[in-house]
Amino acid sequence: EVQLVESGGGLVQPGGSLRLSCAASGFTFTDHNMNWVRQAPGKGLEWVGRIKNKVNSYTIEYVASVKGRFTISRDDSKNSVYLQMNSLKTEDTAVYYCAREVSGSLDFRGQGTLVTVSS
Amino acid sequence: DVVMTQTPLSSPVTLGQPASISCRSSQSLVHSNGNTYLSWLQQRPGQPPRLLIYKISNRFSGVPDRFSGSGAGTDFTLQISRVEAEDVGVYYCMQATQFPFTFGPGTKVDIK
Protein backbone atom coordinates (compact mmCIF):
# COMPACT_ATOMS: atom_id res chain seq x y z
CA GLU A 1 0.00 0.00 0.00
CA VAL A 2 1.30 3.42 -0.98
CA GLN A 3 1.92 5.58 2.07
CA LEU A 4 3.25 9.09 2.56
CA VAL A 5 3.66 10.22 6.15
CA GLU A 6 4.40 13.87 6.78
CA SER A 7 5.89 15.08 10.05
CA GLY A 8 7.74 17.99 11.62
CA GLY A 9 5.02 20.61 11.76
CA GLY A 10 4.37 22.80 14.75
CA LEU A 11 4.18 26.33 16.09
CA VAL A 12 7.00 28.66 15.13
CA GLN A 13 7.50 32.40 15.45
CA PRO A 14 7.76 34.65 12.42
CA GLY A 15 11.30 34.58 11.12
CA GLY A 16 11.86 31.10 12.48
CA SER A 17 12.68 27.82 10.79
CA LEU A 18 11.17 24.37 10.55
CA ARG A 19 12.06 21.19 8.71
CA LEU A 20 9.30 18.94 7.43
CA SER A 21 9.82 15.31 6.53
CA CYS A 22 7.83 12.93 4.38
CA ALA A 23 8.46 9.19 4.66
CA ALA A 24 7.38 7.13 1.68
CA SER A 25 6.61 3.43 1.47
CA GLY A 26 4.74 0.97 -0.70
CA PHE A 27 6.23 2.08 -4.02
CA THR A 28 9.59 2.53 -5.71
CA PHE A 29 10.53 5.94 -4.34
CA THR A 30 13.37 6.49 -6.81
CA ASP A 31 10.95 6.26 -9.75
CA HIS A 32 9.06 9.36 -8.70
CA ASN A 33 9.39 13.10 -8.57
CA MET A 34 8.16 14.38 -5.21
CA ASN A 35 6.18 17.53 -4.51
CA TRP A 36 5.10 19.66 -1.58
CA VAL A 37 1.66 21.28 -1.58
CA ARG A 38 0.14 23.43 1.16
CA GLN A 39 -3.33 24.42 2.22
CA ALA A 40 -3.94 27.42 4.45
CA PRO A 41 -6.79 27.00 6.95
CA GLY A 42 -10.10 27.05 5.11
CA LYS A 43 -8.42 27.80 1.79
CA GLY A 44 -7.50 26.00 -1.41
CA LEU A 45 -4.40 24.14 -2.50
CA GLU A 46 -1.10 25.81 -3.35
CA TRP A 47 1.81 24.01 -4.94
CA VAL A 48 5.06 24.77 -3.10
CA GLY A 49 7.74 22.94 -5.06
CA ARG A 50 9.08 19.75 -6.58
CA ILE A 51 12.25 17.70 -6.61
CA LYS A 52 12.76 15.30 -9.50
CA ASN A 53 14.33 11.90 -9.14
CA LYS A 54 17.95 10.92 -9.78
CA VAL A 55 17.32 10.02 -13.43
CA ASN A 56 16.15 13.60 -13.87
CA SER A 57 19.14 15.03 -12.02
CA TYR A 58 17.24 15.96 -8.86
CA THR A 59 16.06 19.16 -10.54
CA ILE A 60 14.12 21.42 -8.18
CA GLU A 61 11.41 24.02 -8.82
CA TYR A 62 9.64 26.35 -6.37
CA VAL A 63 6.70 28.68 -6.38
CA ALA A 64 7.88 32.30 -6.33
CA SER A 65 6.53 33.06 -2.85
CA VAL A 66 8.90 30.58 -1.19
CA LYS A 67 11.94 30.82 -3.44
CA GLY A 68 15.03 31.70 -1.42
CA ARG A 69 13.37 30.74 1.85
CA PHE A 70 12.39 27.09 1.36
CA THR A 71 14.61 24.21 0.27
CA ILE A 72 13.44 20.81 -0.91
CA SER A 73 15.73 17.79 -0.65
CA ARG A 74 15.42 14.04 -0.73
CA ASP A 75 17.29 11.04 0.65
CA ASP A 76 16.66 8.05 -1.59
CA SER A 77 18.36 5.72 0.91
CA LYS A 78 15.65 6.64 3.43
CA ASN A 79 12.76 6.96 0.97
CA SER A 80 12.20 10.44 2.30
CA VAL A 81 11.71 13.97 1.05
CA TYR A 82 12.21 17.09 3.12
CA LEU A 83 11.14 20.72 3.18
CA GLN A 84 13.44 23.11 5.01
CA MET A 85 11.54 26.32 5.72
CA ASN A 86 13.43 29.43 6.80
CA SER A 87 12.39 33.04 7.39
CA LEU A 88 8.85 31.88 8.00
CA LYS A 89 6.00 34.33 7.63
CA THR A 90 2.47 34.25 9.04
CA GLU A 91 1.19 33.59 5.53
CA ASP A 92 3.11 30.30 5.50
CA THR A 93 0.63 28.92 8.04
CA ALA A 94 -0.90 25.85 6.41
CA VAL A 95 -1.18 22.11 6.33
CA TYR A 96 1.73 20.84 4.25
CA TYR A 97 1.31 17.71 2.14
CA CYS A 98 3.87 15.78 0.21
CA ALA A 99 2.70 14.11 -2.98
CA ARG A 100 4.30 11.77 -5.48
CA GLU A 101 4.08 12.66 -9.11
CA VAL A 102 2.25 10.13 -11.26
CA SER A 103 1.50 10.53 -14.95
CA GLY A 104 1.83 14.29 -14.70
CA SER A 105 -0.36 14.68 -11.66
CA LEU A 106 -0.11 14.44 -7.90
CA ASP A 107 -1.00 11.48 -5.72
CA PHE A 108 -1.58 12.50 -2.11
CA ARG A 109 -1.61 9.78 0.52
CA GLY A 110 -0.81 11.45 3.83
CA GLN A 111 -2.78 13.54 6.30
CA GLY A 112 -0.32 16.39 6.08
CA THR A 113 1.45 18.26 8.85
CA LEU A 114 0.27 21.59 10.25
CA VAL A 115 2.65 24.53 10.37
CA THR A 116 1.52 27.53 12.38
CA VAL A 117 3.56 30.72 12.17
CA SER A 118 2.55 33.07 14.94
CA SER A 119 4.02 35.18 17.70
CA ASP B 1 1.43 31.84 -13.97
CA VAL B 2 -1.44 29.82 -15.40
CA VAL B 3 -4.67 30.89 -13.70
CA MET B 4 -7.28 28.18 -13.25
CA THR B 5 -10.93 29.11 -12.84
CA GLN B 6 -13.81 26.81 -11.95
CA THR B 7 -17.57 27.08 -12.29
CA PRO B 8 -19.69 26.75 -10.33
CA LEU B 9 -17.96 27.35 -7.01
CA SER B 10 -20.80 25.62 -5.23
CA SER B 11 -23.00 22.82 -6.52
CA PRO B 12 -25.88 21.41 -4.50
CA VAL B 13 -26.89 18.14 -6.13
CA THR B 14 -29.55 15.51 -5.66
CA LEU B 15 -28.43 11.98 -4.86
CA GLY B 16 -28.47 9.85 -7.98
CA GLN B 17 -28.42 12.86 -10.29
CA PRO B 18 -25.51 13.96 -12.46
CA ALA B 19 -23.13 16.79 -11.63
CA SER B 20 -20.74 18.73 -13.80
CA ILE B 21 -17.85 21.07 -12.99
CA SER B 22 -16.07 23.26 -15.50
CA CYS B 23 -12.46 24.36 -15.37
CA ARG B 24 -10.81 26.91 -17.58
CA SER B 25 -7.12 27.78 -17.83
CA SER B 26 -5.68 31.18 -18.80
CA GLN B 27 -3.32 29.49 -21.26
CA SER B 28 -3.35 26.31 -23.29
CA LEU B 29 -2.35 23.32 -21.19
CA VAL B 30 -0.89 21.40 -24.12
CA HIS B 31 2.72 20.61 -23.21
CA SER B 32 5.50 20.67 -25.78
CA ASN B 33 5.54 16.88 -25.55
CA GLY B 34 1.91 16.75 -26.74
CA ASN B 35 0.39 15.79 -23.38
CA THR B 36 -2.14 17.93 -21.53
CA TYR B 37 -1.49 17.81 -17.81
CA LEU B 38 -4.92 18.66 -16.45
CA SER B 39 -6.06 16.73 -13.41
CA TRP B 40 -9.03 16.60 -11.08
CA LEU B 41 -8.73 16.03 -7.35
CA GLN B 42 -11.37 15.43 -4.70
CA GLN B 43 -11.06 16.54 -1.11
CA ARG B 44 -13.61 15.11 1.26
CA PRO B 45 -14.21 16.98 4.52
CA GLY B 46 -11.26 16.59 6.87
CA GLN B 47 -9.33 14.49 4.37
CA PRO B 48 -6.29 15.07 2.15
CA PRO B 49 -6.81 15.55 -1.56
CA ARG B 50 -7.32 12.45 -3.67
CA LEU B 51 -6.38 12.14 -7.33
CA LEU B 52 -9.39 11.26 -9.49
CA ILE B 53 -8.48 12.06 -13.10
CA TYR B 54 -5.15 12.74 -14.79
CA LYS B 55 -4.30 13.95 -18.29
CA ILE B 56 -7.85 15.19 -18.89
CA SER B 57 -9.71 11.91 -18.94
CA ASN B 58 -7.77 9.07 -17.33
CA ARG B 59 -9.25 7.67 -14.13
CA PHE B 60 -6.68 7.02 -11.42
CA SER B 61 -6.45 3.66 -9.69
CA GLY B 62 -9.54 2.81 -7.67
CA VAL B 63 -11.66 5.71 -8.92
CA PRO B 64 -15.26 4.70 -9.70
CA ASP B 65 -16.33 4.91 -13.33
CA ARG B 66 -19.09 7.39 -12.50
CA PHE B 67 -16.30 10.00 -12.63
CA SER B 68 -15.22 11.13 -16.07
CA GLY B 69 -13.17 13.96 -17.50
CA SER B 70 -13.14 15.65 -20.85
CA GLY B 71 -11.93 18.74 -22.65
CA ALA B 72 -8.98 20.14 -24.51
CA GLY B 73 -6.75 23.19 -24.71
CA THR B 74 -8.14 25.56 -22.10
CA ASP B 75 -11.58 24.14 -21.31
CA PHE B 76 -12.19 21.04 -19.26
CA THR B 77 -15.06 19.30 -17.49
CA LEU B 78 -15.45 16.80 -14.67
CA GLN B 79 -18.68 14.86 -14.70
CA ILE B 80 -20.20 12.65 -12.05
CA SER B 81 -22.84 10.48 -13.69
CA ARG B 82 -24.83 9.72 -10.52
CA VAL B 83 -23.84 11.51 -7.34
CA GLU B 84 -23.47 9.39 -4.22
CA ALA B 85 -23.27 10.59 -0.62
CA GLU B 86 -19.53 9.85 -0.49
CA ASP B 87 -18.93 12.33 -3.33
CA VAL B 88 -19.53 15.30 -1.03
CA GLY B 89 -16.46 17.50 -0.87
CA VAL B 90 -14.42 20.05 -2.76
CA TYR B 91 -13.19 19.34 -6.27
CA TYR B 92 -10.08 21.00 -7.66
CA CYS B 93 -8.70 21.10 -11.17
CA MET B 94 -4.95 21.36 -11.40
CA GLN B 95 -2.48 22.01 -14.19
CA ALA B 96 1.02 20.56 -14.28
CA THR B 97 1.95 21.65 -17.78
CA GLN B 98 3.78 24.77 -16.70
CA PHE B 99 5.60 25.92 -13.54
CA PRO B 100 4.36 26.77 -11.06
CA PHE B 101 1.72 24.06 -10.96
CA THR B 102 -1.58 25.75 -10.15
CA PHE B 103 -4.97 24.74 -8.83
CA GLY B 104 -8.43 26.05 -9.39
CA PRO B 105 -10.26 27.64 -6.43
CA GLY B 106 -12.31 24.51 -5.82
CA THR B 107 -15.96 23.61 -6.31
CA LYS B 108 -17.92 22.54 -3.26
CA VAL B 109 -20.31 19.69 -3.97
CA ASP B 110 -22.95 18.94 -1.38
CA ILE B 111 -26.31 17.23 -1.24
CA LYS B 112 -29.54 19.21 -1.59
Side-chain angles (χ1 to χ4, degrees):
Chain A
E1 181 192 359
V2 173
Q3 290 192 33
L4 296 170
V5 180
E6 301 93 343
S7 62
L11 175 63
V12 61
Q13 291 188 338
S17 298
L18 214 52
R19 188 193 194 214
L20 307 184
S21 300
C22 170
S25 60
F27 64 98
T28 304
F29 183 72
T30 52
D31 284 350
H32 292 267
N33 303 332
M34 297 297 295
N35 292 251
W36 286 96
V37 173
R38 66 185 179 182
Q39 186 169 35
K43 302 296 185 183
L45 301 168
E46 181 185 30
W47 178 81
V48 172
R50 172 183 91 174
I51 184 166
K52 286 191 169 182
N53 59 5
K54 183 178 182 179
V55 166
N56 291 293
S57 305
Y58 298 125
T59 304
I60 302 173
E61 302 278 353
Y62 299 99
V63 71
S65 58
V66 308
K67 211 172 285 187
R69 300 188 300 122
F70 289 12
T71 302
I72 298 175
S73 61
R74 62 190 290 165
D75 185 338
D76 291 345
S77 68
K78 295 181 178 179
N79 285 359
S80 293
V81 61
Y82 306 98
L83 181 65
Q84 176 67 44
M85 304 185 295
N86 299 329
S87 303
L88 282 160
K89 306 176 181 180
T90 54
E91 53 263 41
D92 296 319
T93 293
V95 173
Y96 285 73
Y97 298 99
C98 68
R100 66 170 184 160
E101 210 162 301
V102 290
S103 300
S105 189
L106 300 182
D107 179 24
F108 298 76
R109 298 288 178 141
Q111 294 298 314
T113 186
L114 175 62
V115 172
T116 303
V117 184
S118 174
S119 54
Chain B
D1 297 1
V2 178
V3 177
M4 307 295 288
T5 55
Q6 290 180 230
T7 53
L9 296 182
S10 179
S11 180
V13 297
T14 301
L15 288 174
Q17 293 301 302
S20 179
I21 301 170
S22 294
C23 174
R24 178 167 289 180
S25 57
S26 61
Q27 303 172 33
S28 172
L29 297 186
V30 180
H31 193 275
S32 57
N33 64 14
N35 289 310
T36 300
Y37 296 111
L38 183 283
S39 307
W40 291 95
L41 301 104
Q42 174 197 61
Q43 189 171 31
R44 293 169 172 153
Q47 295 298 310
R50 171 197 178 197
L51 177 59
L52 296 178
I53 303 284
Y54 62 94
K55 288 195 286 187
I56 302 177
S57 60
N58 297 275
R59 271 188 302 275
F60 192 56
S61 173
V63 174
D65 60 8
R66 65 179 181 274
F67 291 94
S68 63
S70 62
T74 61
D75 288 281
F76 306 93
T77 302
L78 174 71
Q79 293 186 308
I80 310 173
S81 58
R82 293 173 305 280
V83 172
E84 298 188 4
E86 65 178 17
D87 299 336
V88 165
V90 180
Y91 291 77
Y92 296 93
C93 59
M94 177 201 133
Q95 69 82 21
T97 292
Q98 196 178 119
F99 287 111
F101 298 167
T102 47
F103 296 87
T107 294
K108 186 175 183 179
V109 171
D110 57 12
I111 305 301
K112 278 184 187 173

